[in-house]
Amino acid sequence: MATSLLVGALAFEAGAAQVDLARYPSLSPDGSAVVFSWRGDLWKASALGGEAVRLTSNPATESRSGFTPDGKRIVFESERDGMRNLWSMAADGSDLRQLTELDASFALSSVGTLGGKTVVLIESTLEGDLYRSSRPFVVPIEGGTPVRLHGAFGGAANASPDGSKVLFERGGMSWYRRGYNGPDNRNVWVYDTATQTFAQLTKYDGNDGLPRFIGADEFVYISDRGTGAQNVHRAKLGAPVDSGKRLTDFTADDVHGLAVAADGRSAVFCVLGDLWRLDLTKEGATAAKLAFSAADDTVLDEERIQIGRNVAEAALSPDGKSMAFVADGDVFIRAIEEKSPTRRVTEGESRERDLCWSPDGVTLYFVSDRDGSESIYAATVRDTR
């Protein structure tokens, strides 16, 4: 049992630090602000560079993020509940909400509009297909169960401003395998949500992917064609296949983590550990490297403890598929399947013991001294599948 707890987290202030190795940028709809992952937390700064402000402060890892189309909220990946899941917060870092409780790996693709509603697009192998490749799924901005977007395999989905079309990539070859030409190379496709039809937009033998709309009929993407390194390219829907043009000219290092503002006027991307900005409104514009500073307050006085060896008692559910257990005085529950996430049921200074399931497996009873004397409490199962 690989469950861990964080004990006694306390941050302290130090001096300023130069931001290095920033990853996973996302841009506000008007392109004025950039959010990126640094030292496992999310930070926000001007898209022109400067001082970065911390949005999250958690020992877990926060990585990919995306602004809602109105710019009021930021959706992001976090491992703060023990598994990677989707969370959202206000653009200033307040009002934290958990959107999913998944027990399968996934990656945040983008945040956009489909059917007139704000949604989150992810890629995952949630359905356990025999062919182990990701599919695009849609999660409501309020949170809930992901629903498959369409019947094709693929990832990195990105909806057009009006939600009528969705760009995505197909193919599974790693971006880190530079110069690959073969049957598993990535290519860019578009899905029409009204007609439920597909069209292939690139057919290059190398890797084309991470497409992002910059207007109703134009998009940018990453490709290693031309220079042998991954660069930003621009193309139009309806134009001949592979008729786009290259916008950047990196040769030694690759572009990754491409983000585009909803207004389509600017892009930010990573090259090694640096962020670069590209003006998409000017023909022949040159990308500019961005510099950020931030308060060096990321050192935490913390202790992570494994609770798997501190289990005092356990109780199997009537169907044999779940197990409740007491560790360090608190109640936890998890599925019997390997690598299943563990959920905390109780928390605090009280001590719990004597676990007992109801015959239907919906209620878990236990004894607790949280009110000053030992009494019987009940916890009801909220989500099943």
Side-chain angles (χ1 to χ4, degrees), residues 202 204 207-208 214 218-236 242-255 258 269 278-280 282-287:
T202 68
Y204 168 60
N207 277 336
D208 295 332
I214 58 174
E218 199 167 9
F219 64 98
V220 291
Y221 62 100
I222 294 176
S223 176
D224 61 5
R225 65 180 72 201
T227 66
Q230 295 157 19
N231 276 283
V232 181
H233 291 247
R234 184 172 188 156
K236 285 189 175 183
D242 293 330
S243 62
K245 63 180 297 184
R246 188 171 68 251
L247 301 183
T248 60
D249 296 299
F250 294 95
T251 56
D253 301 303
D254 294 324
V255 170
L258 176 64
F269 52 85
L278 180 63
D279 188 336
L280 297 175
K282 297 179 181 179
E283 185 76 20
T286 301

Side-chain angles (χ1 to χ4, degrees), residues 166-210:
V166 180
L167 294 168
F168 66 104
E169 65 180 30
R170 285 173 56 84
M173 181 46 57
S174 170
W175 286 105
Y176 299 105
R177 188 172 175 183
R178 189 187 263 197
Y180 172 84
N181 298 98
D184 201 27
N185 64 294
R186 299 170 187 255
N187 274 303
V188 178
W189 290 68
V190 64
Y191 170 66
D192 189 305
T193 59
T195 62
Q196 298 184 5
T197 56
F198 301 88
Q200 187 171 355
L201 302 181
T202 68
K203 294 185 177 180
Y204 168 60
D205 286 338
N207 277 336
D208 295 332
L210 202 60

Side-chain angles (χ1 to χ4, degrees), residues 95-163:
D95 191 23
L96 184 67
R97 305 174 189 174
Q98 185 170 4
L99 304 185
T100 62
E101 293 186 4
L102 302 177
D103 55 5
S105 63
F106 76 95
L108 171 62
S109 298
S110 63
V111 184
T113 301
L114 286 177
K117 297 181 179 180
T118 300
V119 297
V120 185
L121 294 164
I122 66 172
E123 59 180 272
S124 179
T125 56
L126 277 173
E127 296 181 348
D129 297 282
L130 182 62
Y131 176 57
R132 299 300 290 172
S133 185
S134 296
R135 293 182 186 271
F137 291 85
V138 179
V139 178
I141 191 60
E142 301 82 12
T145 302
V147 177
R148 194 201 298 176
L149 173 63
H150 52 58
F153 291 102
N158 180 249
S160 60
D162 63 359

Side-chain angles (χ1 to χ4, degrees), residues 36-107:
F36 54 84
S37 177
W38 181 55
R39 294 182 174 179
D41 286 314
L42 296 182
W43 301 74
K44 183 179 179 182
S46 165
L48 301 178
E51 183 179 1
V53 177
R54 180 194 292 277
L55 294 179
T56 66
S57 181
N58 193 284
T61 298
E62 269 92 44
S63 47
R64 298 173 184 86
S65 64
F67 282 85
T68 55
D70 60 9
K72 294 182 179 180
R73 298 193 67 80
I74 299 169
V75 178
F76 63 98
E77 300 171 350
S78 177
E79 298 175 356
R80 61 181 62 203
D81 70 340
M83 296 285 288
R84 181 186 301 174
N85 269 293
L86 286 177
W87 298 69
S88 78
M89 60 184 168
D92 62 0
S94 62
D95 191 23
L96 184 67
R97 305 174 189 174
Q98 185 170 4
L99 304 185
T100 62
E101 293 186 4
L102 302 177
D103 55 5
S105 63
F106 76 95

